[in-house]
Amino acid sequence: MASPNDLQFQEFEEAAQLLSSDPGASTLSVSAGGGSEEVKLDLSDEEEEAQQESAELLGGQKSPGGFWTFEYYQSFFNVDTSQVLDRVKGSVMPLPGRNFIKHHLRSNPDLYGPFWICVTLVFTVAISGNLSTFLLEMGNPAYHYTPQFHRVTVASVVIFLYAWLVPVGLWGFLTWRQGVERQVGAYSFLETVCVYGYSLFIYIPTSILWILPFEWLRWTLMVVAMVISGSVLVLTFWPAVREDTKPMAVSTVVTIVALHALLAIGCKMYFFQTASHIILPLQPTTAPVQLHPQNQTRTH
């Protein structure tokens, strides 16, 4: 029977042979029955790098890249289709007591949905506005249809400025009020932008239905869309400001609703104008025959 010293010497020789044959190989020490055994893990460089990155991610040691890197912005679009559909569904069916951020974002806000919602809304508003004008003036012989491409530019500027500047202002205001009144809640900038982006989804089908040349139907659809989308914003931001002073809390919610209504009314009035009257061309008439005195024959 071999002594413990002989076993340790034999294990040391085996480990030395493994390292001499492949100096870059990883080794793992396994103890069994009071002894240890060096086991060689023959991993390629790619596998070792993948294992290291996986360990860093699981341990929370890998820091995100800077804002100038692609990986930094890629995290903002890390969302799957089921999550986007769930958030769209939550934006068109707001329920009392259900905060959009807490029940649908779940600390994972994204910019994928808000970006494509804004892009889609820009084109639906501009194209539907052109079609509405064409249908309205189709019976007018003096009207000549010309595509109004400038409406795409106007719609993109208005919608994207609203979807970005208003959340920036609201987020800054809530952050300031949180410093003044400790009980006031606040959301992150990304969460605020995400809520505003998804709240605009209801205007996509509404703008398509605005093509119908019935003014009463257009106003009805606009009011319904404003109530739905405005409810999403109120149910989300009211819990954050209700602990503030009553005048400040009410003023904040009224401002949110007023800006949201201003966007809807402005798009309706600019892109879907109603012709108060149609100017018809004058019908040609026969010119009167004038009799000159010199051409008349005097009779005596």
Side-chain angles (χ1 to χ4, degrees):
M1 182 175 181
S3 63
N5 293 332
D6 295 337
L7 291 175
Q8 291 180 358
F9 181 75
Q10 183 179 1
E11 292 170 359
F12 177 77
E13 285 186 346
E14 291 178 356
Q17 291 177 0
L18 291 174
L19 291 175
S20 62
S21 61
D22 188 1
S26 300
T27 59
L28 177 64
S29 177
V30 180
S31 62
S36 61
E37 182 180 358
E38 291 289 335
V39 181
K40 177 183 176 182
L41 299 178
D42 191 6
L43 299 177
S44 61
D45 296 338
E46 292 80 3
E47 291 175 341
E48 290 182 359
E49 183 178 357
Q51 272 194 352
Q52 183 178 2
E53 291 181 355
S54 177
E56 290 176 350
L57 288 174
L58 292 175
Q61 300 175 358
K62 191 174 180 62
S63 59
F67 68 91
W68 60 87
T69 61
F70 178 76
E71 290 76 11
Y72 178 80
Y73 298 97
Q74 188 179 12
S75 62
F76 299 153
F77 295 84
N78 186 20
V79 64
D80 54 28
T81 305
S82 61
Q83 290 176 323
V84 173
L85 293 178
D86 178 70
R87 294 169 185 184
V88 169
K89 181 181 177 181
S91 68
V92 297
M93 291 189 301
L95 299 176
R98 291 183 66 87
N99 189 314
F100 186 85
I101 291 179
K102 294 182 179 179
H103 289 85
H104 297 283
L105 298 187
R106 298 183 180 90
S107 302
N108 184 29
D110 70 285
L111 294 181
Y112 179 85
F115 174 77
W116 285 111
I117 287 174
C118 291
V119 171
T120 306
L121 183 60
V122 166
F123 285 99
T124 56
V125 167
I127 295 174
S128 299
N130 277 319
L131 291 177
S132 175
T133 304
F134 173 76
L135 294 176
L136 186 64
E137 302 285 355
M138 187 170 54
N140 185 3
Y143 174 74
H144 299 284
Y145 173 76
T146 54
Q148 299 178 347
F149 295 107
H150 68 279
R151 289 189 173 185
V152 178
T153 304
V154 174
S156 61
V157 171
V158 171
I159 292 173
F160 274 96
L161 283 181
Y162 172 81
W164 283 95
L165 290 184
V166 175
V168 168
L170 181 59
W171 169 75
F173 175 77
L174 292 179
T175 304
W176 170 67
R177 292 304 300 173
Q178 190 180 29
V180 176
E181 298 288 341
R182 296 296 180 184
Q183 65 271 21
V184 175
Y187 302 119
S188 66
F189 170 69
L190 192 59
E191 290 173 340
T192 307
V193 173
C194 189
V195 173
Y196 266 84
Y198 279 102
S199 69
L200 295 177
F201 178 82
I202 190 62
Y203 288 109
I204 295 177
T206 302
S207 61
I208 296 175
L209 293 176
W210 276 347
I211 298 176
L212 301 176
F214 303 105
E215 196 63 16
W216 64 269
L217 180 61
R218 292 176 178 176
W219 284 104
T220 302
L221 292 173
M222 188 194 69
V223 171
V224 172
M226 283 196 307
V227 170
I228 294 176
S229 57
S231 299
V232 175
L233 299 178
V234 172
L235 293 174
T236 300
F237 293 103
W238 173 249
V241 300
R242 64 185 175 187
E243 299 299 332
D244 201 348
T245 60
K246 187 174 181 180
M248 188 64 67
V250 174
S251 301
T252 303
V253 174
V254 170
T255 303
I256 292 173
V257 175
L259 292 176
H260 203 65
L262 183 63
L263 174 70
I265 296 174
C267 290
K268 164 65 180 64
M269 298 298 294
Y270 180 81
F271 296 99
F272 300 88
Q273 300 175 1
T274 303
S276 59
H277 62 277
I278 299 177
I279 302 176
L280 297 176
L282 297 176
Q283 298 295 332
T285 58
T286 305
V289 179
Q290 297 181 355
L291 298 177
H292 299 282
Q294 60 272 18
N295 294 334
Q296 297 179 354
T297 304
R298 294 185 178 182
T299 57
H300 299 279

